[in-house]
Amino acid sequence: MVNETQHTCSASSSSKSDGGSSSGSESSKDSSRCSTPVLDADRHERLREKMRRRQDSGDKWFSLEFFPPRTANAAVNLISRFDRMGAGGPLFIDVTWHPAGDPGSDKETSSMIIANTAVNYCGLETILHMTCCNQTKDDITGHLQKAKRLGLKNIMALRGDPVGEEWEEEVDGFNYAVDLVKHIRNEFDDYFDICVAGYPKGHPEAESYEADLRHLKEKVFAGADFIITQLFFRSETFLRFMKDCQAIGITCPIIPGIFPIQGYHSLRQLVKLSKLEVPQEIKDVIEPIKDNDAAIRNYGVELAVSMCRELLDSGMVHGLHFYTLNREVATTEVLKRLGIWKEDPRRPLPWAVSAHPKRRVEDVRPIFWASRPKSYIYRTQEWDDFPNGRWGNSSSPAFGELKDYYLFYLKSKSPREELLKMWGEELTGEESVFEVFTCYITGEPNKNGHKVTCMPWNDDPLATETNLLKEQLEKVNRRGILTINSQPNINGKPSTDPIVGWGPSGGYVFQKAYLEFFTSSEIVTALLKVLKKYELRVNYHIVNVKGQNITNAPDLQPNAVTWGIFPGREIIQPTVVDPVSFLSWKDEAFALWIEQWAKLYEEESPSRMIIQYIHDNYYLVNLVDNDFPLENCLWQVVDDTFELLN
Amino acid sequence: MVNETQHTCSASSSSKSDGGSSSGSESSKDSSRCSTPVLDADRHERLREKMRRRQDSGDKWFSLEFFPPRTANAAVNLISRFDRMGAGGPLFIDVTWHPAGDPGSDKETSSMIIANTAVNYCGLETILHMTCCNQTKDDITGHLQKAKRLGLKNIMALRGDPVGEEWEEEVDGFNYAVDLVKHIRNEFDDYFDICVAGYPKGHPEAESYEADLRHLKEKVFAGADFIITQLFFRSETFLRFMKDCQAIGITCPIIPGIFPIQGYHSLRQLVKLSKLEVPQEIKDVIEPIKDNDAAIRNYGVELAVSMCRELLDSGMVHGLHFYTLNREVATTEVLKRLGIWKEDPRRPLPWAVSAHPKRRVEDVRPIFWASRPKSYIYRTQEWDDFPNGRWGNSSSPAFGELKDYYLFYLKSKSPREELLKMWGEELTGEESVFEVFTCYITGEPNKNGHKVTCMPWNDDPLATETNLLKEQLEKVNRRGILTINSQPNINGKPSTDPIVGWGPSGGYVFQKAYLEFFTSSEIVTALLKVLKKYELRVNYHIVNVKGQNITNAPDLQPNAVTWGIFPGREIIQPTVVDPVSFLSWKDEAFALWIEQWAKLYEEESPSRMIIQYIHDNYYLVNLVDNDFPLENCLWQVVDDTFELLN
């Protein structure tokens, strides 16, 4: 919104009542978080209901505004930023509409696709901005239909900047944001939650402050659910505006837009765009330090923190909206200092939930994609049914093929040079591959002094939970059992456990021990002999790239490996080892050797041939120890295997 | 079949291959039981597959033949017998076709309805006999369609007795069993498993033993899956017959029909009907003791046991079929002495499974009907979907109304006079009702010296599991907390535990503690105060007959109270406290006060008014302690309530 300007003027009044009133809001005191929906209400609530529930419970919240990136690489970085800032628990994020950047297209940099990624792949409640100026009704309807199809549920309705110097009303066109609000309500009924912009000092083009307030009221009465304001520099400005709104009958939530000053130039540019005036006392501080970015940012953080405190202390403000300018540091610091950045170790489910409405009911996934949730979401995006398709005697719907390993939301955050440093400029044999796996597990630098912070199957460092298994993992990787996924057994830990807990409090979580790895056919032969001794206790699936499959699973039933018991609920079993989907995962897991690792090297180079050899000859193995209350026997299985080989 | 005779003669040969070959049989070594399907293969297998699997695994089995009763009271008793004899693990039972008794009708004594009850309400794999003689094609198709609709999957195809003295072939009619076999295969494809009769000494009306063997082969080649033989008196008779069958190419299973002699008159009658000759050595023993029933039965048991041993020892026989004559003692004794009566304490699920094919997938039920499973099945008989309808965010399909509390399969086994002795000829106040409940729990006689072995909500004595809670239950019932259902908490006992175990071996079962009772509004008021202290830990539903409902369940989600974890499987949660179905159960539970208890007394009598008062004023309460790993707190809740009242 920082990059938009907007104007409302008189239009036909609407009989529609205040769109901000929430239907079906519940009085539950649970805090709700957009990035981590909980098992209950939160996943089923719309944004305006979440907002209402937070207001009722007195639980303060924040939201974050981003603009779409200019390049594909910037898109990769922005998505990482969504993941990192999503961890702080924003109620929503919003993505601005860039008329110049083909905002409704399928480009990876378009507003539409960035919002789509935020919802579906990062699991963030998201508002997509949309402007109506200079667009046909059909264009707008098309954008809205596409947004709906992609799972977007919230629109910020704006006028947008006129194209020419002098702007003129078009007859029967969309001239004001209120026209867009009405259009959305006419064409899509109550499907979208609608947000509109408020101007604490009045819109610069409005006849007067009072006239602008009346325009705002029209937008609300036309069906908007809440208001986000333009930035301002003093808390009094917002509080007076809010009172004036209430005085003329605007009762929906009004969220102050906060702009932490992050640098001299960005401030100047913004002020120019928004036609706002920077108060003299701020200019006085900034001008002398205008070349010292750090100093300005520190000052900006101070200023924002103190203004936000005044707003929250007023009792009139329940949520704060941040203009991030796509940067992390200043906003995160303000939020942490305000105490509303909630790096909550609690997870609603053991995996990252998607925010697409059709995935609200999803509560079980195969364990294989634990470190590649975005790939799983991509491959199942065509599914319409989740619980029925995945639960019970699963006949899994077909998994989509993963054709493009370079989709920006699946792409590694590390550039080629970095990967080469981590995984070896030159491999000398299978052992150098073993070493890479071992360094990833131990966190020690490789022989060239570089830490291995990611792997083709794991874009992030080792999970805290996996750390519990570090010692054993190190031992087996050194010897060519190349682990890519594992979990310890858990026999009823509280759901609030900081490492393995998930779901609502008062529950208990359980796990069966799991180990997944690539290994040579020689080791597989020994392993199979050893597994005979563990026949009833350990389930295994062993497959090579050609799909030759060895298993002792009696039929195609999934094996639940993570489950939780909660007060007043049915059992939740969010993770399974599913024999059907394992064969889809197998294709992806083997392909990653080539797509992400082998292709770093020249064709025909020895390094590339080593990876190719592993890809062609190794097996992918998964093991489950069914006897979760006893000590995990999988390490014993591996030890026995090595012993047999000696 | 004992009451039927049958004849086959030449008819057009069929190109159909041996119907006894099983498709999709598995090599699993699990033993399968018809009355207690296990979680896996067994519930999905058809009878011929189960038979094949038992044969492959060397696991001997038995089956039981019954004829339909003549009166409604006899039907009630027969159903109880099904339940008791079903506990021994027959592979199937079969019900004969009584042409004189309107066998395809909806009468409670018809063959069709008895078979229906065995399948649906007793969970027994069942074969319905059907004769074709003197019936039109349409009649027969109608019977078969009805059988299919009711969930019957197996037909014994017989000719039946001709009506007149001299029997003549009808042109284009059903003259022989083989015609019926062909008709079933033509009209119903492979839906039914078909059994046909074999005559170890040749059918009495056949031209010769050899001709009769050829007729049998025709029946098999027309599509029969297996053969059950007429009774015989010497094992050699059967073994020779079996070899002769194999010699002419009959390869399907042939099951010997065993008739334990139970009395002089029944033997004579049977011999007359079946035109068999009793060997002289048997006559020699029986004639001198013909008036001593016990002696004859003992001899009959001896004889049957020794003949069965010879059959089993021959290695050619895998299953034995018993002509029970609807009696229990002799057959049960033979089976126990043979060691194939398996009173297996292991249960596939904590509740009695129905054998209707559409219920194969049913794996969760509300706990409320734990002691009234037949009523639950009756009320849900119209449901088509089980797991989807019951699992997940349950929107339970509507429960059928229980209009007739006197349906024969729901009826109490005890007559009115017995009930009056148990529950009191004359009640003097609510305390006399408390006493009845207390005596039921303790097993002590009431003040008139009668033991209370059943209650309106529990037709059987206290379950072994409930016995674990006996002491506490006695205490609270004395004080007016009238318990009708309860279970202790279980934190991961082996699935083979003799008291609380269920499901396949190698698993672990869990329970949340549950308590359900009627009590006065005074106690409810105190209870609600106490429950505040347990707010997060205990879920409650409290409702009176008018439906006034008090609960702290956050929404309409079911609470899983029994679940199990098994190797290589998803979680099973067979029992839930479901708020939606509780309101249906409430109607049934309150109605039982009136229908089963109050109506024992004269209208306007003080006893009747006492029960009516309780019905009108008491509440039905259920409590779940969610914290299953800790000590059950529900007794503390009740103690606190009594303390508050003092």
Side-chain angles (χ1 to χ4, degrees):
Chain A
M1 213 174 79
V2 159
N3 296 300
E4 308 283 342
T5 61
Q6 202 219 10
H7 188 98
T8 66
C9 80
S10 76
S12 65
S13 75
S14 162
S15 64
K16 197 138 188 176
S17 69
D18 179 359
S21 77
S22 134
S23 65
S25 79
E26 297 193 304
S27 61
S28 159
K29 299 287 170 195
D30 291 351
S31 105
S32 84
R33 299 184 41 193
C34 84
S35 59
T36 51
V38 287
L39 288 172
D40 30 22
D42 201 55
R43 266 174 105 177
H44 298 275
E45 276 179 340
R46 35 201 309 172
L47 180 52
R48 66 191 184 205
E49 289 162 2
K50 291 184 192 175
M51 222 174 260
R52 182 65 50 127
R53 190 149 58 87
R54 289 288 196 107
Q55 178 170 334
D56 291 347
S57 68
D59 188 10
K60 306 302 182 200
W61 54 266
F62 68 94
S63 51
L64 303 169
E65 181 163 313
F66 299 93
F67 51 81
R70 298 196 189 270
T71 66
N73 269 345
V76 175
N77 290 331
L78 183 59
I79 298 313
S80 301
R81 191 165 299 122
F82 285 175
D83 286 338
R84 286 191 301 271
M85 295 189 84
L91 189 66
F92 62 87
I93 69 153
D94 57 332
V95 178
T96 60
W97 188 253
H98 255 230
D102 206 353
S105 74
D106 286 338
K107 283 186 202 163
E108 53 209 353
T109 55
S110 79
S111 302
M112 186 73 80
I113 293 303
I114 292 297
N116 163 53
T117 307
V119 166
N120 289 295
Y121 294 92
C122 306
L124 295 164
E125 180 83 62
T126 302
I127 302 177
L128 176 63
H129 289 222
M130 203 169 279
T131 61
C132 59
C133 184
N134 299 317
Q135 291 196 73
T136 69
K137 210 170 238 188
D138 284 354
D139 282 347
I140 287 174
T141 301
H143 292 324
L144 289 164
Q145 278 166 342
K146 183 169 184 174
K148 183 176 174 184
R149 204 166 56 242
L150 294 174
L152 291 161
K153 298 164 291 179
N154 313 292
I155 299 291
M156 173 108 180
L158 300 167
R159 188 194 73 182
D161 290 316
V163 173
E165 271 295 287
E166 280 301 304
W167 173 76
E168 279 179 40
E169 271 191 43
E170 287 177 54
V171 182
D172 286 337
F174 287 94
N175 294 307
Y176 304 103
V178 70
D179 300 331
L180 180 52
V181 175
K182 287 179 187 167
H183 178 71
I184 298 174
R185 284 286 172 250
N186 279 339
E187 300 277 311
F188 294 86
D189 199 18
D190 201 33
Y191 178 80
F192 290 105
D193 278 17
I194 301 175
C195 174
V196 291
Y199 297 85
K201 292 210 146 191
H203 192 278
E205 294 172 25
E207 309 93 274
S208 67
Y209 175 74
E210 289 69 26
D212 194 50
L213 278 183
R214 284 195 304 274
H215 300 329
L216 179 59
K217 184 174 173 180
E218 273 165 23
K219 292 195 281 187
V220 172
F221 276 57
D225 296 299
F226 51 93
I227 296 162
I228 295 179
T229 76
Q230 180 59 288
L231 65 94
F232 50 88
F233 294 100
R234 293 188 183 115
S235 59
E236 310 88 75
T237 310
F238 175 81
L239 296 173
R240 195 204 50 181
F241 170 71
M242 195 161 172
K243 279 179 199 144
D244 292 338
C245 285
Q246 288 170 346
I248 64 162
I250 296 173
T251 60
C252 71
I254 303 175
I255 305 142
I258 310 297
F259 175 75
I261 297 170
Q262 308 200 43
Y264 186 74
H265 293 287
S266 60
L267 177 63
R268 273 181 61 113
Q269 201 190 352
L270 181 84
V271 163
K272 196 178 140 204
L273 253 168
S274 59
K275 299 180 182 150
L276 288 175
E277 216 169 287
V278 179
Q280 193 56 44
E281 69 267 25
I282 296 181
K283 284 187 190 157
D284 288 348
V285 179
I286 283 182
E287 283 295 336
I289 55 171
K290 67 180 176 184
D291 297 320
N292 185 341
D293 281 355
I296 291 191
R297 198 172 58 220
N298 287 342
Y299 172 67
V301 166
E302 281 299 336
L303 209 59
V305 167
S306 94
M307 190 174 77
C308 290
R309 285 226 172 95
E310 286 165 19
L311 291 170
L312 295 173
D313 291 348
S314 74
M316 294 173 72
V317 172
H318 306 281
L320 300 165
H321 184 72
F322 285 83
Y323 295 112
T324 68
L325 304 186
N326 285 15
R327 295 187 205 157
E328 263 174 275
V329 181
T331 300
T332 306
E333 192 172 337
V334 172
L335 288 167
K336 285 183 174 167
R337 285 181 52 186
L338 289 172
I340 57 178
W341 174 274
K342 293 182 184 157
E343 197 122 25
D344 190 343
R346 309 261 339 269
R347 303 167 293 170
L349 283 168
W351 33 263
V353 174
S354 167
H356 193 294
K358 78 175 179 180
R359 294 188 93 112
R360 269 179 202 148
V361 291
E362 180 181 21
D363 61 7
V364 54
R365 287 189 189 170
I367 195 170
F368 318 122
W369 282 271
S371 301
R372 291 179 61 78
K374 292 189 175 76
S375 150
Y376 182 76
I377 292 166
Y378 172 75
R379 300 186 63 162
T380 60
Q381 62 189 332
E382 300 302 326
W383 291 9
D384 287 324
D385 259 341
F386 286 87
N388 297 349
R390 296 294 311 118
W391 181 274
N393 204 335
S394 92
S395 52
S396 313
F399 282 84
E401 255 189 272
L402 186 57
K403 287 181 213 112
D404 187 350
Y405 287 77
Y406 299 97
L407 293 166
F408 75 98
Y409 41 83
L410 300 180
K411 214 170 155 181
S412 171
K413 280 169 274 181
S414 312
R416 180 168 178 274
E417 313 77 63
E418 233 173 86
L419 295 176
L420 278 170
K421 280 182 192 155
M422 290 196 272
W423 302 344
E425 305 275 354
E426 218 179 302
L427 303 174
T428 52
E430 290 166 66
E431 284 70 23
S432 25
V433 173
F434 300 178
E435 199 215 337
V436 175
F437 276 85
T438 309
C439 288
Y440 173 71
I441 296 292
T442 60
E444 305 284 318
N446 62 20
K447 63 183 175 197
N448 297 317
H450 295 287
K451 288 205 176 185
V452 180
T453 57
C454 69
M455 293 293 284
W457 306 269
N458 308 75
D459 207 29
D460 293 307
L462 219 55
T464 330
E465 186 194 20
T466 318
N467 255 312
L468 302 173
L469 310 170
K470 206 161 170 172
E471 205 177 308
Q472 287 103 328
L473 287 170
E474 178 186 347
K475 206 170 80 180
V476 307
N477 276 282
R478 277 198 197 291
R479 302 195 54 180
I481 294 227
L482 306 176
T483 59
I484 61 169
N485 196 355
S486 56
Q487 69 175 23
N489 60 320
I490 303 291
N491 185 17
K493 288 232 184 182
S495 58
T496 48
D497 183 278
I499 297 177
V500 299
W502 53 271
S505 60
Y508 292 91
V509 299
F510 294 79
Q511 290 180 184
K512 291 180 180 174
Y514 179 75
L515 190 61
E516 183 180 340
F517 52 86
F518 290 101
T519 202
S520 66
S521 63
E522 187 199 0
I523 290 181
V524 163
T525 307
L527 177 66
L528 278 168
K529 281 193 192 121
V530 169
L531 282 169
K532 284 215 170 67
K533 276 200 314 191
Y534 295 86
E535 190 53 46
L536 290 170
R537 181 162 174 187
V538 176
N539 280 115
Y540 55 85
H541 293 90
I542 301 176
V543 67
N544 65 5
V545 72
K546 298 176 206 89
Q548 285 163 335
N549 196 13
I550 313 163
T551 176
N552 69 342
D555 43 36
L556 290 182
Q557 282 202 40
N559 190 352
V561 291
T562 302
W563 62 99
I565 318 298
F566 301 95
R569 312 232 155 255
E570 298 194 84
I571 315 295
I572 316 285
Q573 64 157 38
T575 324
V576 296
V577 169
D578 170 23
V580 176
S581 59
F582 182 58
L583 297 182
S584 295
W585 165 246
K586 177 267 294 178
D587 293 337
E588 181 169 335
F590 276 102
L592 288 165
W593 281 106
I594 304 299
E595 298 294 332
Q596 295 225 352
W597 198 335
K599 288 188 176 171
L600 295 177
Y601 310 107
E602 298 290 312
E603 275 187 60
E604 310 286 326
S605 67
S607 294
R608 183 144 176 181
M609 285 165 70
I610 288 164
I611 302 295
Q612 185 75 49
Y613 175 83
I614 289 178
H615 170 269
D616 295 347
N617 293 284
Y618 273 38
Y619 284 79
L620 180 61
V621 178
N622 75 52
L623 304 176
V624 175
D625 177 3
N626 285 300
D627 223 337
F628 63 95
L630 310 183
E631 206 191 333
N632 178 355
C633 74
L634 300 182
W635 305 115
Q636 192 58 49
V637 168
V638 174
D639 280 352
D640 291 359
T641 304
F642 287 134
E643 196 152 310
L644 190 66
L645 283 168
N646 282 351
Chain B
M1 210 174 80
V2 158
N3 296 301
E4 309 283 342
T5 60
Q6 201 217 12
H7 188 99
T8 66
C9 79
S10 75
S12 65
S13 74
S14 161
S15 64
K16 197 139 189 176
S17 69
D18 179 1
S21 77
S22 132
S23 65
S25 79
E26 296 192 305
S27 60
S28 159
K29 297 288 170 195
D30 290 353
S31 104
S32 85
R33 298 184 42 193
C34 83
S35 60
T36 51
V38 287
L39 286 173
D40 31 23
D42 202 55
R43 266 174 104 176
H44 298 275
E45 277 179 341
R46 33 201 310 172
L47 180 51
R48 65 191 186 204
E49 290 162 3
K50 289 183 193 177
M51 222 174 258
R52 183 65 50 128
R53 190 149 59 85
R54 289 288 196 107
Q55 179 170 334
D56 291 347
S57 69
D59 190 9
K60 307 300 183 203
W61 55 265
F62 69 94
S63 52
L64 303 169
E65 181 163 313
F66 300 92
F67 50 81
R70 298 196 188 270
T71 66
N73 269 346
V76 174
N77 290 331
L78 184 59
I79 298 313
S80 300
R81 192 165 299 122
F82 285 174
D83 286 339
R84 285 191 301 270
M85 296 190 83
L91 189 66
F92 61 87
I93 71 154
D94 57 332
V95 177
T96 61
W97 188 253
H98 255 230
D102 206 354
S105 75
D106 287 339
K107 282 186 200 160
E108 55 208 354
T109 55
S110 81
S111 302
M112 186 72 82
I113 292 304
I114 293 297
N116 162 53
T117 307
V119 167
N120 289 296
Y121 293 93
C122 306
L124 296 163
E125 180 82 62
T126 301
I127 302 178
L128 176 63
H129 290 222
M130 203 170 280
T131 62
C132 58
C133 184
N134 299 317
Q135 290 197 75
T136 68
K137 211 170 237 189
D138 284 354
D139 280 349
I140 288 174
T141 302
H143 291 325
L144 289 165
Q145 277 166 342
K146 182 170 184 174
K148 184 176 174 185
R149 205 166 55 241
L150 294 175
L152 291 161
K153 297 164 291 179
N154 314 293
I155 299 290
M156 174 108 179
L158 301 165
R159 188 195 72 181
D161 292 314
V163 173
E165 272 295 289
E166 280 301 305
W167 173 76
E168 279 178 39
E169 270 190 44
E170 287 176 53
V171 181
D172 287 339
F174 287 94
N175 294 307
Y176 304 103
V178 70
D179 300 331
L180 180 53
V181 174
K182 287 178 188 167
H183 179 72
I184 298 174
R185 284 285 172 252
N186 280 339
E187 301 277 313
F188 294 87
D189 200 18
D190 201 33
Y191 179 79
F192 290 106
D193 278 17
I194 301 176
C195 176
V196 291
Y199 297 84
K201 294 211 147 190
H203 192 276
E205 294 171 24
E207 309 92 272
S208 69
Y209 176 74
E210 288 71 25
D212 195 50
L213 279 183
R214 284 196 303 275
H215 300 328
L216 180 58
K217 185 173 170 180
E218 273 165 23
K219 292 196 282 189
V220 172
F221 277 56
D225 296 300
F226 50 93
I227 296 161
I228 295 179
T229 77
Q230 181 58 291
L231 65 94
F232 49 89
F233 294 99
R234 294 189 183 114
S235 58
E236 310 87 75
T237 312
F238 176 81
L239 296 172
R240 195 203 51 179
F241 170 71
M242 197 162 173
K243 279 178 198 145
D244 293 337
C245 285
Q246 287 170 347
I248 64 162
I250 296 174
T251 59
C252 71
I254 304 174
I255 304 142
I258 310 298
F259 175 74
I261 297 171
Q262 308 200 42
Y264 185 74
H265 293 287
S266 61
L267 176 64
R268 273 180 62 112
Q269 201 190 353
L270 182 82
V271 164
K272 194 179 141 206
L273 253 168
S274 58
K275 299 178 183 153
L276 288 175
E277 218 169 285
V278 179
Q280 193 55 44
E281 69 268 26
I282 295 181
K283 283 189 191 155
D284 289 347
V285 178
I286 283 182
E287 284 296 336
I289 56 170
K290 67 179 177 185
D291 296 321
N292 184 341
D293 279 356
I296 291 191
R297 199 173 57 219
N298 286 343
Y299 172 66
V301 166
E302 281 300 336
L303 210 59
V305 166
S306 95
M307 189 174 78
C308 290
R309 284 226 173 98
E310 287 164 20
L311 291 169
L312 295 174
D313 290 347
S314 74
M316 295 173 70
V317 172
H318 306 281
L320 301 165
H321 184 73
F322 285 83
Y323 296 111
T324 68
L325 304 186
N326 285 15
R327 296 189 204 155
E328 263 173 275
V329 180
T331 301
T332 305
E333 193 172 337
V334 172
L335 289 167
K336 283 183 175 167
R337 285 181 52 186
L338 290 172
I340 58 176
W341 174 274
K342 294 183 184 155
E343 197 121 26
D344 190 343
R346 308 256 344 265
R347 303 168 292 171
L349 284 168
W351 33 264
V353 173
S354 166
H356 193 294
K358 77 175 180 180
R359 295 187 92 111
R360 270 180 200 147
V361 291
E362 180 181 21
D363 62 5
V364 54
R365 285 189 190 171
I367 195 170
F368 317 122
W369 281 272
S371 301
R372 291 179 62 80
K374 294 189 174 73
S375 148
Y376 182 75
I377 292 165
Y378 171 75
R379 299 186 63 161
T380 60
Q381 62 188 333
E382 300 302 326
W383 291 9
D384 287 322
D385 260 340
F386 286 87
N388 297 349
R390 295 295 310 120
W391 181 274
N393 205 335
S394 93
S395 52
S396 312
F399 283 84
E401 255 188 274
L402 186 57
K403 288 183 212 108
D404 188 350
Y405 286 78
Y406 298 98
L407 293 167
F408 76 98
Y409 40 83
L410 300 181
K411 212 169 156 182
S412 173
K413 281 168 275 182
S414 312
R416 180 169 179 273
E417 313 77 63
E418 233 173 86
L419 295 178
L420 278 171
K421 279 182 192 155
M422 290 196 271
W423 301 345
E425 306 273 354
E426 218 179 302
L427 303 175
T428 51
E430 290 167 67
E431 284 71 22
S432 24
V433 173
F434 300 177
E435 198 214 337
V436 174
F437 275 84
T438 308
C439 289
Y440 174 71
I441 296 292
T442 60
E444 305 282 320
N446 63 20
K447 63 183 176 198
N448 297 318
H450 295 288
K451 287 205 178 187
V452 181
T453 58
C454 70
M455 292 294 283
W457 307 270
N458 308 73
D459 207 29
D460 292 306
L462 218 54
T464 331
E465 185 194 22
T466 317
N467 254 312
L468 302 174
L469 309 171
K470 206 161 169 170
E471 203 176 309
Q472 288 103 328
L473 287 170
E474 177 186 348
K475 205 170 82 180
V476 307
N477 276 282
R478 276 197 198 293
R479 301 194 56 181
I481 294 226
L482 307 176
T483 59
I484 60 170
N485 195 356
S486 56
Q487 70 175 23
N489 59 320
I490 303 291
N491 185 17
K493 289 233 185 182
S495 57
T496 48
D497 184 277
I499 297 177
V500 299
W502 53 271
S505 60
Y508 292 91
V509 299
F510 293 78
Q511 290 179 183
K512 292 180 180 175
Y514 179 75
L515 191 60
E516 183 181 338
F517 52 86
F518 290 100
T519 202
S520 65
S521 64
E522 186 198 2
I523 291 181
V524 163
T525 307
L527 178 65
L528 278 168
K529 279 191 195 123
V530 169
L531 283 169
K532 284 217 170 66
K533 276 200 314 189
Y534 295 86
E535 189 55 46
L536 291 170
R537 182 163 172 184
V538 176
N539 279 115
Y540 56 84
H541 294 89
I542 301 175
V543 67
N544 65 6
V545 72
K546 296 177 207 88
Q548 284 163 336
N549 196 14
I550 313 164
T551 176
N552 69 341
D555 41 37
L556 290 183
Q557 282 202 40
N559 190 352
V561 291
T562 302
W563 63 99
I565 318 297
F566 301 95
R569 312 231 154 255
E570 298 194 84
I571 315 295
I572 317 285
Q573 64 156 40
T575 325
V576 297
V577 169
D578 170 23
V580 176
S581 59
F582 183 59
L583 297 182
S584 295
W585 164 247
K586 177 266 293 178
D587 292 337
E588 182 170 334
F590 275 102
L592 286 166
W593 281 106
I594 304 300
E595 298 295 331
Q596 296 224 353
W597 198 335
K599 288 189 177 170
L600 296 176
Y601 309 107
E602 298 288 314
E603 275 187 62
E604 310 286 325
S605 67
S607 294
R608 184 145 177 178
M609 284 165 72
I610 288 164
I611 301 296
Q612 185 75 51
Y613 175 83
I614 290 178
H615 170 270
D616 295 347
N617 292 285
Y618 273 38
Y619 284 79
L620 179 61
V621 178
N622 75 52
L623 305 176
V624 175
D625 177 4
N626 285 300
D627 223 337
F628 62 95
L630 309 184
E631 206 191 334
N632 177 355
C633 73
L634 300 181
W635 305 115
Q636 192 58 50
V637 168
V638 174
D639 280 352
D640 291 359
T641 304
F642 286 134
E643 195 152 311
L644 190 65
L645 283 166
N646 282 351

